[in-house]
């Protein structure tokens, strides 16, 4: 699974996710990536979010939309909302990660797996990539 | 707001230091850097977040390192079925596709659904037909297939106790 979230110089956010799913999947199984609100969501009032991992858990929690709702309704920061949802995912036994960015330009990532391919760049930060 | 930010991911999983070969580690980092370049150039030039996320994901869909587009994992039946979604925060418009097999960039097909259809989510052969009708670039199934993903499928199918990649070994 791959994904990207961005905020542009006009303050608009967007999210995109794309995947081949899980190796050996059967019966037309679809995970969270294409489900708006589960693996992908964007709302200028809150954030843009893209998720990766055990999709069934992200679907059940509605992770991408839940992060935006917590930011919009409780004033939580992008970072804290991301952390809360990955923690909740872990409690349910789910594994995975997510990236998020708010209209204020703060970008974040959070994951509970040993590794996540990830990167970020901004108008005030050099590009950086990481795996572990 | 005058600044811009792009964040990307290439999947999460059980990869740990030392499990990935140096070559795979380098290939992953190079793929991520290429995606940041593609999306960052758009934002640096004043382009939209929507264009930037599509451009970054397209680069990773073409990179066999990542499980999306070319280099996707196989289903138990030995096929490749891709899913993708895109969403614009300014109007909360969205497009998504699932189970597509002959469209080179599923994320661009999702954007075409968002922009030029009355729907949000199209699936299966219908989604691929929509792509052909809207001139979204096609690709033969062979374009998506890689030897390494075929090996991973064979490994999983050889172990009936692990019906699919529930351990996200190939996240």
């Amino acid at each position: 699974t791959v994904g990207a979230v961005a905020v542009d110089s006009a303050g608009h956010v967007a999210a995109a996710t794309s995947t081949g799913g899980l190796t050996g999947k059967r019966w037309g199984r679809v995970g969270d990536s294409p489900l708006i609100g589960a693996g992908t969501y964007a709302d200028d009032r809150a954030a843009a979010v893209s998720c990766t991992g055990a999709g069934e858990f992200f679907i059940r929690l509605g992770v991408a939309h839940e992060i935006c709702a917590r930011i919009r309704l409780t004033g939580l920061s992008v970072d804290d909302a991301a952390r809360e949802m990955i923690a909740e995912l872990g409690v349910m036994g789910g594994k995975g990660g997510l990236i998020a960015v708010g209209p204020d330009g703060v970008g974040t990532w959070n994951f509970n797996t040993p590794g996540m391919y990830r990167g970020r760049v901004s108008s005030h930060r050099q590009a950086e990539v990481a795996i572990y | 707001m005058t600044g811009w930010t792009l964040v990307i991911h290439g999947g999460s999983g059980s990869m740990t230091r030392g499990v990935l070969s140096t070559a795979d580690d380098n290939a992953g980092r190079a793929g991520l850097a290429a995606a940041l370049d593609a999306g960052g150039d758009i934002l640096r030039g004043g382009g939209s977040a929507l264009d930037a996320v599509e451009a970054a994901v397209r680069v990773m869909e073409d990179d066999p390192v990542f499980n999306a587009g070319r280099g996707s994992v196989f289903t138990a039946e030995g096929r490749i079925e891709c899913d993708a979604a895109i969403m614009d925060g300014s109007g909360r418009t969205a497009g998504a596709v699932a189970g597509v097999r002959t469209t080179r960039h599923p994320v661009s097909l999702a954007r075409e659904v968002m922009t030029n259809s009355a729907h949000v989510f199209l699936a299966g052969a219908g989604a691929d037909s929509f792509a052909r009708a809207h001139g979204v670039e096609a690709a033969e199934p062979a374009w998506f297939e890689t030897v390494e993903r075929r090996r991973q499928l064979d490994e999983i199918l050889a172990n009936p106790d692990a019906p699919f990649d529930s351990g996200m070994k190939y996240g």
Side-chain angles (χ1 to χ4, degrees):
Chain A
T1 305
V2 302
V5 293
V7 57
D8 56 35
S9 46
H12 297 309
V13 300
T17 313
S18 182
T19 188
L22 286 177
T23 304
K25 65 184 179 185
R26 285 181 165 85
W27 308 306
R29 180 266 181 191
V30 175
D32 63 306
S33 300
L35 297 188
I36 300 300
T40 307
Y41 201 76
D43 180 347
D44 277 4
R45 302 171 299 176
V49 184
S50 173
C51 304
T52 169
E56 282 70 9
F57 292 91
F58 286 87
I59 294 171
R60 290 166 55 197
L61 285 174
V63 169
H65 183 272
E66 181 70 12
I67 285 175
C68 290
R70 292 188 185 197
I71 293 166
R72 180 163 52 85
L73 300 174
T74 74
L76 216 52
S77 70
V78 175
D79 220 20
D80 287 343
R83 184 179 307 109
E84 275 189 7
M85 287 315 296
I86 291 295
E88 200 164 321
L89 184 88
V91 167
M92 286 175 82
K95 290 184 290 184
L98 63 90
I99 56 175
V101 67
D104 60 359
V106 174
T108 191
W109 48 54
N110 203 293
F111 54 100
N112 66 7
T113 49
M116 180 164 92
Y117 287 103
R118 60 200 187 278
R120 59 183 164 194
V121 64
S122 76
S123 48
H124 51 275
R125 181 193 204 119
Q126 289 290 320
E128 63 170 308
V129 300
I131 297 178
Y132 308 106
Chain B
M1 170 81 199
T2 54
W4 51 267
T5 300
L6 171 69
V7 188
I8 63 173
H9 71 76
S12 65
S14 55
M15 56 278 209
T16 52
R17 234 178 267 276
V19 167
L20 279 183
S21 69
T22 305
D24 288 344
D25 186 298
N26 292 339
R29 292 172 195 273
L32 292 169
L36 286 178
D37 285 348
D41 286 349
I42 289 172
L43 292 164
R44 196 171 289 113
S48 70
L50 191 63
D51 288 345
V53 296
E54 181 187 7
V57 168
R58 281 170 63 99
V59 166
M60 293 189 281
E61 285 177 338
D62 276 345
D63 189 328
V65 165
F66 303 111
N67 172 21
R70 180 170 171 71
S72 286
V73 298
F74 283 89
T75 69
E77 291 77 23
R79 282 197 298 259
I80 286 179
E81 298 172 352
C82 298
D83 311 329
I86 193 165
M87 186 162 187
D88 182 350
S90 61
R92 279 179 283 162
T93 49
V97 292
V100 294
R101 296 184 193 167
T102 60
T103 297
R104 176 169 176 176
H105 293 117
V107 71
S108 295
L109 177 53
R111 184 164 182 178
E112 185 67 14
V113 172
M114 175 177 84
T115 312
N116 292 313
S117 91
H119 307 301
V120 172
F121 195 178
L122 301 180
D128 273 322
S129 302
F130 176 86
R132 298 301 78 79
H134 284 245
V136 179
E137 185 180 359
E140 288 302 315
W143 159 260
F144 301 100
E145 299 174 3
T146 60
V147 171
E148 173 55 13
R149 294 299 188 188
R150 173 71 66 177
R151 184 198 65 76
Q152 291 169 2
L153 175 66
D154 294 344
E155 183 181 299
I156 280 193
L157 295 182
N159 173 6
D161 296 334
F164 64 96
D165 184 13
S166 56
M168 289 174 11
K169 184 175 175 186
Y170 306 117

